[in-house]
PDB file of all heavy atoms in Angstrom:
ATOM      1  N   TYR A   1       7.416   3.707  11.900  1.00 89.00           N
ATOM      2  CA  TYR A   1       7.442   3.056  10.594  1.00 89.00           C
ATOM      3  C   TYR A   1       6.260   3.551   9.775  1.00 89.00           C
ATOM      4  O   TYR A   1       5.178   3.789  10.301  1.00 89.00           O
ATOM      5  CB  TYR A   1       7.353   1.534  10.716  1.00 89.00           C
ATOM      6  CG  TYR A   1       8.221   0.963  11.802  1.00 89.00           C
ATOM      7  CD1 TYR A   1       7.664   0.516  12.999  1.00 89.00           C
ATOM      8  CD2 TYR A   1       9.595   0.870  11.630  1.00 89.00           C
ATOM      9  CE1 TYR A   1       8.458  -0.003  13.990  1.00 89.00           C
ATOM     10  CE2 TYR A   1      10.392   0.335  12.614  1.00 89.00           C
ATOM     11  CZ  TYR A   1       9.833  -0.099  13.806  1.00 89.00           C
ATOM     12  OH  TYR A   1      10.619  -0.610  14.782  1.00 89.00           O
ATOM     13  N   ILE A   2       6.486   3.679   8.485  1.00 94.00           N
ATOM     14  CA  ILE A   2       5.429   4.076   7.565  1.00 94.00           C
ATOM     15  C   ILE A   2       5.197   2.911   6.613  1.00 94.00           C
ATOM     16  O   ILE A   2       6.167   2.331   6.084  1.00 94.00           O
ATOM     17  CB  ILE A   2       5.838   5.338   6.778  1.00 94.00           C
ATOM     18  CG1 ILE A   2       6.173   6.486   7.748  1.00 94.00           C
ATOM     19  CG2 ILE A   2       4.736   5.754   5.814  1.00 94.00           C
ATOM     20  CD1 ILE A   2       6.895   7.640   7.074  1.00 94.00           C
ATOM     21  N   PHE A   3       3.953   2.576   6.398  1.00 95.00           N
ATOM     22  CA  PHE A   3       3.703   1.430   5.516  1.00 95.00           C
ATOM     23  C   PHE A   3       2.389   1.628   4.762  1.00 95.00           C
ATOM     24  O   PHE A   3       1.473   2.316   5.227  1.00 95.00           O
ATOM     25  CB  PHE A   3       3.668   0.124   6.306  1.00 95.00           C
ATOM     26  CG  PHE A   3       2.530   0.006   7.293  1.00 95.00           C
ATOM     27  CD1 PHE A   3       1.320  -0.584   6.925  1.00 95.00           C
ATOM     28  CD2 PHE A   3       2.658   0.468   8.598  1.00 95.00           C
ATOM     29  CE1 PHE A   3       0.281  -0.708   7.824  1.00 95.00           C
ATOM     30  CE2 PHE A   3       1.610   0.350   9.502  1.00 95.00           C
ATOM     31  CZ  PHE A   3       0.418  -0.239   9.123  1.00 95.00           C
ATOM     32  N   PRO A   4       2.271   0.995   3.580  1.00 96.00           N
ATOM     33  CA  PRO A   4       1.011   1.045   2.827  1.00 96.00           C
ATOM     34  C   PRO A   4       0.068  -0.052   3.312  1.00 96.00           C
ATOM     35  O   PRO A   4       0.508  -1.176   3.618  1.00 96.00           O
ATOM     36  CB  PRO A   4       1.464   0.789   1.386  1.00 96.00           C
ATOM     37  CG  PRO A   4       2.666  -0.091   1.536  1.00 96.00           C
ATOM     38  CD  PRO A   4       3.330   0.317   2.810  1.00 96.00           C
ATOM     39  N   GLY A   5      -1.198   0.284   3.393  1.00 95.00           N
ATOM     40  CA  GLY A   5      -2.136  -0.715   3.871  1.00 95.00           C
ATOM     41  C   GLY A   5      -3.554  -0.411   3.477  1.00 95.00           C
ATOM     42  O   GLY A   5      -3.848   0.555   2.765  1.00 95.00           O
ATOM     43  N   ILE A   6      -4.451  -1.259   3.980  1.00 95.00           N
ATOM     44  CA  ILE A   6      -5.895  -1.115   3.769  1.00 95.00           C
ATOM     45  C   ILE A   6      -6.566  -1.280   5.120  1.00 95.00           C
ATOM     46  O   ILE A   6      -6.276  -2.232   5.853  1.00 95.00           O
ATOM     47  CB  ILE A   6      -6.422  -2.157   2.775  1.00 95.00           C
ATOM     48  CG1 ILE A   6      -5.790  -1.972   1.398  1.00 95.00           C
ATOM     49  CG2 ILE A   6      -7.936  -2.081   2.662  1.00 95.00           C
ATOM     50  CD1 ILE A   6      -6.207  -3.032   0.391  1.00 95.00           C
ATOM     51  N   LEU A   7      -7.471  -0.377   5.459  1.00 92.00           N
ATOM     52  CA  LEU A   7      -8.237  -0.486   6.693  1.00 92.00           C
ATOM     53  C   LEU A   7      -9.583  -1.122   6.380  1.00 92.00           C
ATOM     54  O   LEU A   7     -10.358  -0.600   5.581  1.00 92.00           O
ATOM     55  CB  LEU A   7      -8.444   0.901   7.316  1.00 92.00           C
ATOM     56  CG  LEU A   7      -9.273   0.936   8.602  1.00 92.00           C
ATOM     57  CD1 LEU A   7      -8.589   0.163   9.723  1.00 92.00           C
ATOM     58  CD2 LEU A   7      -9.547   2.383   9.025  1.00 92.00           C
ATOM     59  N   GLU A   8      -9.836  -2.269   6.975  1.00 91.00           N
ATOM     60  CA  GLU A   8     -11.124  -2.948   6.843  1.00 91.00           C
ATOM     61  C   GLU A   8     -11.705  -3.116   8.229  1.00 91.00           C
ATOM     62  O   GLU A   8     -11.205  -3.904   9.039  1.00 91.00           O
ATOM     63  CB  GLU A   8     -10.953  -4.298   6.155  1.00 91.00           C
ATOM     64  CG  GLU A   8     -10.478  -4.192   4.705  1.00 91.00           C
ATOM     65  CD  GLU A   8     -10.420  -5.549   4.015  1.00 91.00           C
ATOM     66  OE1 GLU A   8     -10.718  -6.562   4.690  1.00 91.00           O
ATOM     67  OE2 GLU A   8     -10.063  -5.594   2.825  1.00 91.00           O
ATOM     68  N   GLY A   9     -12.755  -2.357   8.495  1.00 89.00           N
ATOM     69  CA  GLY A   9     -13.315  -2.343   9.840  1.00 89.00           C
ATOM     70  C   GLY A   9     -12.326  -1.714  10.784  1.00 89.00           C
ATOM     71  O   GLY A   9     -11.912  -0.570  10.604  1.00 89.00           O
ATOM     72  N   SER A  10     -11.910  -2.461  11.809  1.00 87.00           N
ATOM     73  CA  SER A  10     -10.918  -1.951  12.756  1.00 87.00           C
ATOM     74  C   SER A  10      -9.557  -2.601  12.556  1.00 87.00           C
ATOM     75  O   SER A  10      -8.664  -2.439  13.388  1.00 87.00           O
ATOM     76  CB  SER A  10     -11.393  -2.216  14.195  1.00 87.00           C
ATOM     77  OG  SER A  10     -11.550  -3.622  14.414  1.00 87.00           O
ATOM     78  N   THR A  11      -9.402  -3.311  11.451  1.00 91.00           N
ATOM     79  CA  THR A  11      -8.158  -4.036  11.212  1.00 91.00           C
ATOM     80  C   THR A  11      -7.417  -3.425  10.033  1.00 91.00           C
ATOM     81  O   THR A  11      -7.990  -3.173   8.975  1.00 91.00           O
ATOM     82  CB  THR A  11      -8.432  -5.527  10.917  1.00 91.00           C
ATOM     83  OG1 THR A  11      -9.131  -6.101  12.020  1.00 91.00           O
ATOM     84  CG2 THR A  11      -7.121  -6.286  10.710  1.00 91.00           C
ATOM     85  N   VAL A  12      -6.119  -3.202  10.239  1.00 92.00           N
ATOM     86  CA  VAL A  12      -5.256  -2.690   9.185  1.00 92.00           C
ATOM     87  C   VAL A  12      -4.493  -3.864   8.581  1.00 92.00           C
ATOM     88  O   VAL A  12      -3.837  -4.626   9.294  1.00 92.00           O
ATOM     89  CB  VAL A  12      -4.267  -1.647   9.722  1.00 92.00           C
ATOM     90  CG1 VAL A  12      -3.312  -1.202   8.611  1.00 92.00           C
ATOM     91  CG2 VAL A  12      -5.013  -0.451  10.285  1.00 92.00           C
ATOM     92  N   TYR A  13      -4.562  -3.976   7.259  1.00 92.00           N
ATOM     93  CA  TYR A  13      -3.833  -5.027   6.555  1.00 92.00           C
ATOM     94  C   TYR A  13      -2.751  -4.389   5.697  1.00 92.00           C
ATOM     95  O   TYR A  13      -2.968  -3.341   5.069  1.00 92.00           O
ATOM     96  CB  TYR A  13      -4.768  -5.838   5.655  1.00 92.00           C
ATOM     97  CG  TYR A  13      -5.802  -6.630   6.421  1.00 92.00           C
ATOM     98  CD1 TYR A  13      -7.080  -6.105   6.633  1.00 92.00           C
ATOM     99  CD2 TYR A  13      -5.499  -7.882   6.942  1.00 92.00           C
ATOM    100  CE1 TYR A  13      -8.032  -6.818   7.338  1.00 92.00           C
ATOM    101  CE2 TYR A  13      -6.451  -8.611   7.649  1.00 92.00           C
ATOM    102  CZ  TYR A  13      -7.714  -8.075   7.848  1.00 92.00           C
ATOM    103  OH  TYR A  13      -8.652  -8.783   8.562  1.00 92.00           O
ATOM    104  N   MET A  14      -1.596  -5.037   5.672  1.00 93.00           N
ATOM    105  CA  MET A  14      -0.529  -4.582   4.784  1.00 93.00           C
ATOM    106  C   MET A  14      -1.002  -4.657   3.348  1.00 93.00           C
ATOM    107  O   MET A  14      -1.723  -5.584   2.958  1.00 93.00           O
ATOM    108  CB  MET A  14       0.720  -5.449   4.957  1.00 93.00           C
ATOM    109  CG  MET A  14       1.374  -5.337   6.321  1.00 93.00           C
ATOM    110  SD  MET A  14       2.080  -3.717   6.633  1.00 93.00           S
ATOM    111  CE  MET A  14       3.275  -3.596   5.310  1.00 93.00           C
ATOM    112  N   TYR A  15      -0.597  -3.683   2.536  1.00 95.00           N
ATOM    113  CA  TYR A  15      -0.991  -3.703   1.135  1.00 95.00           C
ATOM    114  C   TYR A  15      -0.184  -4.768   0.403  1.00 95.00           C
ATOM    115  O   TYR A  15       1.039  -4.840   0.506  1.00 95.00           O
ATOM    116  CB  TYR A  15      -0.771  -2.342   0.475  1.00 95.00           C
ATOM    117  CG  TYR A  15      -1.578  -2.185  -0.786  1.00 95.00           C
ATOM    118  CD1 TYR A  15      -2.881  -1.704  -0.734  1.00 95.00           C
ATOM    119  CD2 TYR A  15      -1.047  -2.546  -2.020  1.00 95.00           C
ATOM    120  CE1 TYR A  15      -3.646  -1.574  -1.890  1.00 95.00           C
ATOM    121  CE2 TYR A  15      -1.799  -2.426  -3.178  1.00 95.00           C
ATOM    122  CZ  TYR A  15      -3.110  -1.945  -3.103  1.00 95.00           C
ATOM    123  OH  TYR A  15      -3.868  -1.837  -4.242  1.00 95.00           O
ATOM    124  N   ASP A  16      -0.879  -5.599  -0.344  1.00 95.00           N
ATOM    125  CA  ASP A  16      -0.263  -6.712  -1.060  1.00 95.00           C
ATOM    126  C   ASP A  16      -0.124  -6.313  -2.529  1.00 95.00           C
ATOM    127  O   ASP A  16      -1.108  -6.266  -3.265  1.00 95.00           O
ATOM    128  CB  ASP A  16      -1.146  -7.957  -0.915  1.00 95.00           C
ATOM    129  CG  ASP A  16      -0.401  -9.231  -1.198  1.00 95.00           C
ATOM    130  OD1 ASP A  16       0.826  -9.272  -1.000  1.00 95.00           O
ATOM    131  OD2 ASP A  16      -1.047 -10.217  -1.611  1.00 95.00           O
ATOM    132  N   PHE A  17       1.090  -6.007  -2.949  1.00 97.00           N
ATOM    133  CA  PHE A  17       1.344  -5.642  -4.341  1.00 97.00           C
ATOM    134  C   PHE A  17       1.502  -6.935  -5.147  1.00 97.00           C
ATOM    135  O   PHE A  17       2.388  -7.749  -4.855  1.00 97.00           O
ATOM    136  CB  PHE A  17       2.604  -4.788  -4.461  1.00 97.00           C
ATOM    137  CG  PHE A  17       2.527  -3.481  -3.734  1.00 97.00           C
ATOM    138  CD1 PHE A  17       2.954  -3.371  -2.417  1.00 97.00           C
ATOM    139  CD2 PHE A  17       2.007  -2.351  -4.353  1.00 97.00           C
ATOM    140  CE1 PHE A  17       2.887  -2.162  -1.746  1.00 97.00           C
ATOM    141  CE2 PHE A  17       1.933  -1.135  -3.696  1.00 97.00           C
ATOM    142  CZ  PHE A  17       2.366  -1.037  -2.378  1.00 97.00           C
ATOM    143  N   ALA A  18       0.673  -7.110  -6.157  1.00 96.00           N
ATOM    144  CA  ALA A  18       0.687  -8.349  -6.937  1.00 96.00           C
ATOM    145  C   ALA A  18       0.938  -8.043  -8.400  1.00 96.00           C
ATOM    146  O   ALA A  18       0.414  -7.069  -8.947  1.00 96.00           O
ATOM    147  CB  ALA A  18      -0.638  -9.084  -6.780  1.00 96.00           C
ATOM    148  N   THR A  19       1.758  -8.884  -9.028  1.00 97.00           N
ATOM    149  CA  THR A  19       1.975  -8.783 -10.468  1.00 97.00           C
ATOM    150  C   THR A  19       1.888 -10.176 -11.080  1.00 97.00           C
ATOM    151  O   THR A  19       2.183 -11.175 -10.432  1.00 97.00           O
ATOM    152  CB  THR A  19       3.372  -8.196 -10.801  1.00 97.00           C
ATOM    153  OG1 THR A  19       4.386  -9.131 -10.432  1.00 97.00           O
ATOM    154  CG2 THR A  19       3.582  -6.868 -10.093  1.00 97.00           C
ATOM    155  N   VAL A  20       1.465 -10.225 -12.320  1.00 96.00           N
ATOM    156  CA  VAL A  20       1.479 -11.465 -13.086  1.00 96.00           C
ATOM    157  C   VAL A  20       2.737 -11.445 -13.942  1.00 96.00           C
ATOM    158  O   VAL A  20       2.877 -10.626 -14.840  1.00 96.00           O
ATOM    159  CB  VAL A  20       0.223 -11.601 -13.962  1.00 96.00           C
ATOM    160  CG1 VAL A  20       0.301 -12.872 -14.801  1.00 96.00           C
ATOM    161  CG2 VAL A  20      -1.025 -11.619 -13.097  1.00 96.00           C
ATOM    162  N   GLY A  21       3.659 -12.308 -13.620  1.00 95.00           N
ATOM    163  CA  GLY A  21       4.949 -12.264 -14.279  1.00 95.00           C
ATOM    164  C   GLY A  21       5.894 -11.312 -13.566  1.00 95.00           C
ATOM    165  O   GLY A  21       5.535 -10.633 -12.589  1.00 95.00           O
ATOM    166  N   ALA A  22       7.115 -11.257 -14.051  1.00 95.00           N
ATOM    167  CA  ALA A  22       8.184 -10.497 -13.390  1.00 95.00           C
ATOM    168  C   ALA A  22       8.140  -9.033 -13.793  1.00 95.00           C
ATOM    169  O   ALA A  22       9.011  -8.541 -14.531  1.00 95.00           O
ATOM    170  CB  ALA A  22       9.539 -11.117 -13.716  1.00 95.00           C
ATOM    171  N   ALA A  23       7.147  -8.310 -13.311  1.00 96.00           N
ATOM    172  CA  ALA A  23       6.977  -6.903 -13.693  1.00 96.00           C
ATOM    173  C   ALA A  23       7.554  -5.977 -12.628  1.00 96.00           C
ATOM    174  O   ALA A  23       7.653  -6.327 -11.451  1.00 96.00           O
ATOM    175  CB  ALA A  23       5.496  -6.603 -13.888  1.00 96.00           C
ATOM    176  N   GLU A  24       7.922  -4.781 -13.070  1.00 97.00           N
ATOM    177  CA  GLU A  24       8.359  -3.746 -12.145  1.00 97.00           C
ATOM    178  C   GLU A  24       7.160  -3.258 -11.337  1.00 97.00           C
ATOM    179  O   GLU A  24       6.033  -3.190 -11.835  1.00 97.00           O
ATOM    180  CB  GLU A  24       8.971  -2.607 -12.942  1.00 97.00           C
ATOM    181  CG  GLU A  24       9.421  -1.421 -12.123  1.00 97.00           C
ATOM    182  CD  GLU A  24       9.908  -0.285 -13.012  1.00 97.00           C
ATOM    183  OE1 GLU A  24      11.107  -0.298 -13.367  1.00 97.00           O
ATOM    184  OE2 GLU A  24       9.084   0.593 -13.365  1.00 97.00           O
ATOM    185  N   VAL A  25       7.420  -2.897 -10.067  1.00 97.00           N
ATOM    186  CA  VAL A  25       6.372  -2.364  -9.197  1.00 97.00           C
ATOM    187  C   VAL A  25       6.775  -0.955  -8.776  1.00 97.00           C
ATOM    188  O   VAL A  25       7.932  -0.715  -8.412  1.00 97.00           O
ATOM    189  CB  VAL A  25       6.169  -3.245  -7.951  1.00 97.00           C
ATOM    190  CG1 VAL A  25       5.052  -2.684  -7.081  1.00 97.00           C
ATOM    191  CG2 VAL A  25       5.880  -4.680  -8.352  1.00 97.00           C
ATOM    192  N   SER A  26       5.830  -0.029  -8.830  1.00 97.00           N
ATOM    193  CA  SER A  26       6.106   1.327  -8.353  1.00 97.00           C
ATOM    194  C   SER A  26       4.897   1.827  -7.576  1.00 97.00           C
ATOM    195  O   SER A  26       3.746   1.557  -7.938  1.00 97.00           O
ATOM    196  CB  SER A  26       6.417   2.270  -9.520  1.00 97.00           C
ATOM    197  OG  SER A  26       5.309   2.379 -10.385  1.00 97.00           O
ATOM    198  N   VAL A  27       5.174   2.547  -6.500  1.00 98.00           N
ATOM    199  CA  VAL A  27       4.114   3.146  -5.693  1.00 98.00           C
ATOM    200  C   VAL A  27       4.623   4.497  -5.198  1.00 98.00           C
ATOM    201  O   VAL A  27       5.724   4.596  -4.665  1.00 98.00           O
ATOM    202  CB  VAL A  27       3.709   2.225  -4.523  1.00 98.00           C
ATOM    203  CG1 VAL A  27       4.891   1.845  -3.656  1.00 98.00           C
ATOM    204  CG2 VAL A  27       2.601   2.870  -3.690  1.00 98.00           C
ATOM    205  N   THR A  28       3.822   5.522  -5.401  1.00 97.00           N
ATOM    206  CA  THR A  28       4.219   6.884  -5.035  1.00 97.00           C
ATOM    207  C   THR A  28       3.624   7.238  -3.675  1.00 97.00           C
ATOM    208  O   THR A  28       2.421   7.028  -3.431  1.00 97.00           O
ATOM    209  CB  THR A  28       3.738   7.897  -6.084  1.00 97.00           C
ATOM    210  OG1 THR A  28       4.308   7.553  -7.345  1.00 97.00           O
ATOM    211  CG2 THR A  28       4.154   9.315  -5.694  1.00 97.00           C
ATOM    212  N   PHE A  29       4.464   7.750  -2.796  1.00 98.00           N
ATOM    213  CA  PHE A  29       4.028   8.143  -1.464  1.00 98.00           C
ATOM    214  C   PHE A  29       3.426   9.539  -1.516  1.00 98.00           C
ATOM    215  O   PHE A  29       4.111  10.508  -1.881  1.00 98.00           O
ATOM    216  CB  PHE A  29       5.217   8.125  -0.490  1.00 98.00           C
ATOM    217  CG  PHE A  29       4.842   8.601   0.888  1.00 98.00           C
ATOM    218  CD1 PHE A  29       4.299   7.721   1.815  1.00 98.00           C
ATOM    219  CD2 PHE A  29       5.023   9.927   1.252  1.00 98.00           C
ATOM    220  CE1 PHE A  29       3.954   8.174   3.074  1.00 98.00           C
ATOM    221  CE2 PHE A  29       4.676  10.384   2.515  1.00 98.00           C
ATOM    222  CZ  PHE A  29       4.134   9.493   3.430  1.00 98.00           C
ATOM    223  N   LYS A  30       2.114   9.635  -1.190  1.00 97.00           N
ATOM    224  CA  LYS A  30       1.476  10.948  -1.037  1.00 97.00           C
ATOM    225  C   LYS A  30       0.727  11.034   0.281  1.00 97.00           C
ATOM    226  O   LYS A  30      -0.265  11.771   0.416  1.00 97.00           O
ATOM    227  CB  LYS A  30       0.547  11.219  -2.218  1.00 97.00           C
ATOM    228  CG  LYS A  30       1.315  11.448  -3.515  1.00 97.00           C
ATOM    229  CD  LYS A  30       0.484  12.152  -4.563  1.00 97.00           C
ATOM    230  CE  LYS A  30       1.355  12.542  -5.755  1.00 97.00           C
ATOM    231  NZ  LYS A  30       0.589  13.283  -6.790  1.00 97.00           N
ATOM    232  N   GLY A  31       1.231  10.242   1.254  1.00 95.00           N
ATOM    233  CA  GLY A  31       0.724  10.354   2.606  1.00 95.00           C
ATOM    234  C   GLY A  31      -0.779  10.206   2.704  1.00 95.00           C
ATOM    235  O   GLY A  31      -1.361   9.209   2.248  1.00 95.00           O
ATOM    236  N   ASN A  32      -1.431  11.254   3.269  1.00 95.00           N
ATOM    237  CA  ASN A  32      -2.876  11.179   3.482  1.00 95.00           C
ATOM    238  C   ASN A  32      -3.680  11.283   2.194  1.00 95.00           C
ATOM    239  O   ASN A  32      -4.908  11.186   2.207  1.00 95.00           O
ATOM    240  CB  ASN A  32      -3.327  12.266   4.470  1.00 95.00           C
ATOM    241  CG  ASN A  32      -2.913  13.655   4.048  1.00 95.00           C
ATOM    242  OD1 ASN A  32      -2.512  13.863   2.893  1.00 95.00           O
ATOM    243  ND2 ASN A  32      -2.991  14.613   4.972  1.00 95.00           N
ATOM    244  N   GLU A  33      -2.978  11.457   1.077  1.00 96.00           N
ATOM    245  CA  GLU A  33      -3.669  11.452  -0.212  1.00 96.00           C
ATOM    246  C   GLU A  33      -3.566  10.091  -0.904  1.00 96.00           C
ATOM    247  O   GLU A  33      -4.060   9.920  -2.020  1.00 96.00           O
ATOM    248  CB  GLU A  33      -3.069  12.540  -1.122  1.00 96.00           C
ATOM    249  CG  GLU A  33      -3.256  13.954  -0.574  1.00 96.00           C
ATOM    250  CD  GLU A  33      -2.603  14.990  -1.465  1.00 96.00           C
ATOM    251  OE1 GLU A  33      -2.052  14.589  -2.526  1.00 96.00           O
ATOM    252  OE2 GLU A  33      -2.630  16.186  -1.104  1.00 96.00           O
ATOM    253  N   GLY A  34      -2.896   9.133  -0.271  1.00 96.00           N
ATOM    254  CA  GLY A  34      -2.802   7.793  -0.825  1.00 96.00           C
ATOM    255  C   GLY A  34      -1.711   7.666  -1.870  1.00 96.00           C
ATOM    256  O   GLY A  34      -0.607   8.195  -1.723  1.00 96.00           O
ATOM    257  N   SER A  35      -2.044   6.988  -2.969  1.00 96.00           N
ATOM    258  CA  SER A  35      -1.081   6.765  -4.051  1.00 96.00           C
ATOM    259  C   SER A  35      -1.828   6.792  -5.362  1.00 96.00           C
ATOM    260  O   SER A  35      -2.881   6.162  -5.506  1.00 96.00           O
ATOM    261  CB  SER A  35      -0.368   5.422  -3.884  1.00 96.00           C
ATOM    262  OG  SER A  35       0.396   5.108  -5.018  1.00 96.00           O
ATOM    263  N   PRO A  36      -1.335   7.517  -6.365  1.00 96.00           N
ATOM    264  CA  PRO A  36      -2.057   7.597  -7.645  1.00 96.00           C
ATOM    265  C   PRO A  36      -2.108   6.258  -8.374  1.00 96.00           C
ATOM    266  O   PRO A  36      -2.982   6.040  -9.204  1.00 96.00           O
ATOM    267  CB  PRO A  36      -1.253   8.641  -8.439  1.00 96.00           C
ATOM    268  CG  PRO A  36       0.109   8.635  -7.839  1.00 96.00           C
ATOM    269  CD  PRO A  36      -0.109   8.350  -6.376  1.00 96.00           C
TER     270      PRO A  36
END
């Protein structure tokens, strides 16, 4: 499985995409380069 996340110390947390209101969300996969 591939997933977006944040590494804090030795713990990986799922990335929490947040919007205020009903907005569209987009995230571009660039692997080891992250996301613009």
Side-chain angles (χ1 to χ4, degrees):
Y1 316 105
I2 303 166
F3 65 92
I6 297 176
L7 178 63
E8 295 184 358
S10 61
T11 302
V12 176
Y13 294 95
M14 294 294 300
Y15 200 88
D16 199 28
F17 298 91
T19 69
V20 177
E24 177 185 273
V25 181
S26 63
V27 55
T28 301
F29 177 85
K30 290 199 172 182
N32 55 14
E33 297 177 3
S35 171

